[in-house]
Amino acid sequence: METTCIPILFWPLFMLLLSDESQTSKTEVKYNFTKKNYALIPADINKEVTILDLSYNQITLNITDTSVLQMYCLLTELYLIENSVIILHNNSFGNLSNLKILNICRNSIHIIQQGTFTGLNKLEQLYLCQNKILQLNPDIFVPLKNLKLLNLQGNLISHFDVPQLFRLELIILNGNPWNCSCSLLNLQNWLNTSNVTLENENITMCSYPDSLKCYSIKTVPYKAECYSKFPSLITEELHMNFQSISNSTFNSSLNNLTRNSEHGPVGKSWAFLVGVVVTVLMTSLLIFIAVKCPIWYNFLLSYNHHRLEEHEAEPYEDGFTKNSSSLSQIPDTNSEDTTEIFEQLHSFVIDDDGFIEDKYIDMHELCEDN
């Protein structure tokens, strides 16, 4: 009796699960447009489509394509294999909140802007294999909270910084020119300490330096200097930062070439770089002016002083010359007259006898005393 009651109790729950599965299977709407030579994503598809395959076309995923994709908000799978995608713009899949599988392999992707995967909260599988990706900013994966599989096979990636809260179950990294220097140590630690599985581990080999080419990126032996913050590690980090700046400059140039045809939103990396350069130049200029201005000021002050020209004579010398000429014009007189005239002419000269004249002394009393 008890054994017969148990199936009866669980029978409604079992029927409910079956109804849910049948309902999901009924609502699955699939469209296959492979090898149609499409240059744009068609806009006349049923809005309830859940699986859309646009592989082997010439789609560039420009602004027009991304605006059309916003209408298919029920998509759970999107395939864009072997198209002509070069740039993944910000908010390219912003309205596809139900998307679980995104495959963009075998394109020519150079640039992935930071907000490309914004809104893909349910995405579980991301395929970016066989592209031309040089580097990946770890921040682009932040919106992918439920990502379980990441395929980066066959790109041009030499190093990869693992983003925080990155909880993958499977990652594919073979076919990239990995530089197994100290900068790859964090990736190795994450591969060895997390629950992620590195597929094709035996062929995911180091490309640089030559002495480590026979090692897998997961088992390469690092020297002790890589585990401590020695100058060699700092130099390596500076080198990688410089390489990232060079790559961002190249990416910005490529973005400018395609902007006129697509009019897509541009990242802020180039504007930030220009702002930093301008700030450094202005700061250097202000420091230079602050140091050099006192020197220039003193130089100008000293330059304003000039020597007295020889033809400029002192006033009293002119007076004396004139008086001497007047003496020569005086007719011959006796020596007493000459002495008197000379004393009158030089009466302006102060007789410095060491005593100070007191104007309050009564001259009349002084004469009487004498």
Side-chain angles (χ1 to χ4, degrees), residues 128-131 150-157 170-178 187 191 197-207 216-217:
L128 295 171
C129 52
Q130 304 298 328
N131 282 285
L150 177 61
N151 190 342
L152 297 174
Q153 176 188 358
N155 282 279
L156 302 175
I157 306 171
L170 180 65
I171 189 170
I172 306 172
L173 299 174
N174 62 290
N176 288 279
W178 295 108
L187 175 61
L191 291 174
T197 300
L198 177 62
E199 189 171 305
N200 301 325
E201 177 181 344
N202 295 330
I203 59 175
T204 309
M205 311 295 290
C206 300
S207 297
S216 167
I217 64 171

Side-chain angles (χ1 to χ4, degrees), residues 58-85:
Q58 299 178 8
I59 297 172
T60 60
L61 206 61
N62 54 19
I63 298 301
T64 304
D65 294 330
T66 54
S67 61
V68 172
L69 279 178
Q70 307 302 321
M71 299 186 299
Y72 308 133
C73 57
L74 298 180
L75 275 178
T76 58
E77 299 180 19
L78 176 61
Y79 299 91
L80 292 167
I81 303 172
E82 199 166 325
N83 277 273
S84 301
V85 183

Side-chain angles (χ1 to χ4, degrees), residues 14-178:
F14 181 71
M15 293 300 296
L16 181 63
L17 293 174
L18 289 179
S19 63
D20 290 340
E21 291 181 359
S22 61
Q23 184 176 1
T24 54
S25 61
K26 290 180 181 180
T27 57
E28 184 178 280
V29 180
K30 183 177 180 179
Y31 280 84
N32 190 339
F33 294 102
T34 58
K35 298 181 180 180
K36 298 293 183 178
N37 202 25
Y38 285 160
L40 297 172
I41 296 178
D44 54 352
I45 306 176
N46 185 359
K47 301 300 184 295
E48 296 181 356
V49 59
T50 57
I51 300 175
L52 180 59
D53 193 349
L54 295 167
S55 301
Y56 309 103
N57 286 287
Q58 299 178 8
I59 297 172
T60 60
L61 206 61
N62 54 19
I63 298 301
T64 304
D65 294 330
T66 54
S67 61
V68 172
L69 279 178
Q70 307 302 321
M71 299 186 299
Y72 308 133
C73 57
L74 298 180
L75 275 178
T76 58
E77 299 180 19
L78 176 61
Y79 299 91
L80 292 167
I81 303 172
E82 199 166 325
N83 277 273
S84 301
V85 183
I86 297 177
I87 302 174
L88 292 180
H89 297 284
N90 291 324
N91 299 315
S92 295
F93 315 98
N95 201 33
L96 306 182
S97 58
N98 295 310
L99 195 65
K100 294 183 178 180
I101 299 176
L102 177 60
N103 193 329
I104 325 178
C105 287
R106 299 179 187 176
N107 283 269
S108 300
I109 299 174
H110 287 84
I111 303 171
I112 301 179
Q113 296 182 356
Q114 185 170 347
T116 297
F117 303 122
T118 301
L120 299 180
N121 301 324
K122 296 182 180 180
L123 190 68
E124 297 178 356
Q125 300 179 19
L126 176 59
Y127 298 86
L128 295 171
C129 52
Q130 304 298 328
N131 282 285
K132 298 179 180 180
I133 303 171
L134 291 172
Q135 67 169 13
L136 285 172
N137 188 341
D139 293 336
I140 66 176
F141 299 108
V142 172
L144 306 179
K145 306 295 183 182
N146 294 309
L147 190 64
K148 297 179 180 179
L149 185 151
L150 177 61
N151 190 342
L152 297 174
Q153 176 188 358
N155 282 279
L156 302 175
I157 306 171
S158 60
H159 70 284
F160 179 59
D161 294 329
V162 181
Q164 296 180 354
L165 304 178
F166 207 37
R167 299 176 181 176
L168 289 177
E169 296 179 0
L170 180 65
I171 189 170
I172 306 172
L173 299 174
N174 62 290
N176 288 279
W178 295 108

